[in-house]
Amino acid sequence: PGEGVNTLAKPARFKQGIVTVTEGRTPKRGETFWEVRYVDPDTGKEVKRRVSGLDREEIKAMADHLTRQAYAGRGYLAGRSQAPTIKEGITEALRLSRMNDDTMRNLAKRALLFVTWLKEKYPSVKTWEQLRPAMLQAYVIECETQGLAWDSVRLRLVPIKSAWKTMAENYSELVKPMPKIRTAPKQWREIVCLETAEVIELLAWLEIKAPIELWGMATLQALCGLRMLEASNLRRQDVNLKAGTITIAETERHRPKTLTSFRTIPVCKEALSALRAVMDRQKVIPMTGEIFPLIRRDRLSSKWSYWLRKAAKDLQAPRFRDIPARKLRAFFATTAGRLGAQDRLLKAYLGHTAGDMRGSHYRRIDLD
């Protein structure tokens, strides 16, 4: 160090907001400077700056300013005296959830129903610190009074519960944890699915009326037990016609529902024949290899509903209108069970968890 520089002086170091401030001195002249470090919450990258000519109070003010800028409109701000608005809290919780874009949009629409209801019933409630459990309980009761199914009510609560948890964790001094919200007991429902003759009739009709859009998907759902999104997002590289197998893998448009949903399964000759026919008719092959036309996730169910209503009318079969397309998977599971398929093999084939310690961790099921 240069003459007059005190090498024994301990440099100041403190944290202000998200910024860590360290005092330093130049080696030759001993001039004081401040080094500031923080992680930008938007990019996740570390930011490092060196500032000179400021005293301790001025560098504190600068650190406060950097903290406010970093968190402007994006989540928790230390020392905030008021919790975010209801809409802000829901938006923040969804952003942090790591959901895919389609699921996030779907839950955002459901959450908006609660925000709209709250404005009408409790117009003075603006922020999460003002929200009370009794208000959410009243919303649940009104949904049930309207005749919504148990699952519909549950899905409406998902984004609200997630947001409440996020707000209680980040603003613990303002928002209390949400207590248990009581819903009506889930009613018993019989599992309903199409019978074999009905599936044969429906597949034959779809082969003529919707050979490109839905026939192949319906075949995969009914004869291979695929979920709707697994079938609609199947790619050419996932099909091995020679080996007679298909692979359910993560794509740019779809991630399998659970870890056990990632699988390679053998499929029957009827399914392979349908896949071969659909691929042969495909005029434009996407770069990502999808076999079926790219239908938005939130529009797939409505398209299926349209074609099933049309099938019910053309074939004089009202059950096609009453049973949703996802029940084609139920037909596969029911039929395979009737034919004597072992439960553990059927779970692996459908991509379900084994449900027991041995099946989940120790028993391996090979392709053969």
Side-chain angles (χ1 to χ4, degrees), residues 288-342:
T288 47
E290 279 80 12
I291 297 173
F292 303 108
L294 302 179
I295 303 173
R296 272 179 48 181
R297 183 173 182 168
D298 55 345
R299 293 182 180 176
L300 183 59
S301 294
S302 59
K303 182 173 282 293
W304 260 115
S305 298
Y306 167 79
W307 282 102
L308 287 175
R309 288 195 302 269
K310 194 170 177 59
K313 182 178 179 181
D314 290 355
L315 300 174
Q316 301 291 311
R319 268 168 58 85
F320 291 154
R321 182 183 61 249
D322 300 332
I323 298 179
R326 57 186 172 82
K327 288 295 183 179
L328 288 171
R329 177 172 159 92
F331 162 79
F332 172 83
T334 302
T335 305
R338 288 172 180 171
L339 294 173
Q342 296 181 41

Side-chain angles (χ1 to χ4, degrees), residues 69-292:
Q69 276 194 325
Y71 280 112
R74 294 193 298 269
Y76 179 65
L77 179 61
R80 184 167 179 169
S81 59
Q82 187 180 37
T85 65
I86 304 298
K87 191 172 182 179
E88 286 174 348
I90 293 172
T91 301
E92 178 67 8
L94 291 175
R95 186 183 70 82
L96 297 173
S97 65
R98 293 187 176 181
M99 299 175 185
N100 61 54
D101 292 340
D102 288 331
T103 303
M104 198 177 298
R105 279 194 293 267
N106 185 279
L107 289 178
K109 289 180 181 178
R110 298 177 191 275
L112 186 60
L113 296 174
F114 172 70
V115 174
T116 304
W117 176 87
L118 196 64
K119 285 182 179 179
E120 180 183 344
K121 300 294 183 179
Y122 302 94
S124 62
V125 176
K126 304 294 184 182
T127 65
W128 280 94
E129 60 185 312
Q130 298 171 322
L131 188 64
R132 296 292 178 264
M135 300 173 186
L136 185 55
Q137 187 69 65
Y139 176 67
V140 170
I141 292 174
E142 183 162 326
C143 290
E144 293 171 346
T145 304
Q146 294 172 359
L148 292 179
W150 186 87
D151 279 326
S152 298
V153 176
R154 178 183 63 83
L155 289 173
R156 286 199 182 189
L157 288 177
V158 168
I160 304 169
K161 286 183 175 181
S162 176
W164 201 317
K165 181 180 178 182
T166 302
M167 295 299 101
E169 289 174 348
N170 289 328
Y171 302 93
S172 55
E173 70 280 6
L174 300 174
V175 183
K176 295 181 179 180
M178 184 184 72
K180 185 176 181 180
I181 301 297
R182 297 185 177 276
T183 58
K186 188 175 183 179
Q187 295 182 342
W188 179 85
R189 289 185 302 174
E190 182 182 2
I191 296 176
V192 180
C193 64
L194 297 174
E195 296 298 329
T196 303
E198 293 173 317
V199 170
I200 292 173
E201 187 178 26
L202 178 62
L203 292 181
W205 184 85
L206 286 172
E207 185 177 5
I208 297 171
K209 299 294 185 177
I212 304 298
E213 286 188 307
L214 296 181
W215 171 53
M217 288 188 210
T219 303
L220 291 171
Q221 291 172 231
L223 303 187
C224 307
L226 267 63
R227 298 179 176 92
M228 285 178 61
L229 291 176
E230 291 175 347
S232 63
N233 289 283
L234 196 68
R235 305 168 301 176
R236 286 175 170 260
Q237 55 266 41
D238 299 328
V239 179
N240 189 330
L241 295 174
K242 185 176 180 181
T245 63
I246 59 174
T247 299
I248 308 303
E250 184 173 0
T251 71
E252 293 182 3
R253 301 174 65 241
H254 172 252
R255 177 179 172 79
K257 189 174 182 180
T258 64
L259 289 177
T260 51
S261 298
F262 290 82
R263 63 198 188 278
T264 297
I265 56 174
V267 296
C268 60
K269 63 180 185 299
E270 291 83 1
L272 291 174
S273 177
L275 284 172
R276 187 181 289 108
V278 173
M279 288 190 287
D280 289 343
R281 294 171 185 167
Q282 199 172 14
K283 294 181 179 179
V284 179
I285 302 175
M287 294 289 291
T288 47
E290 279 80 12
I291 297 173
F292 303 108

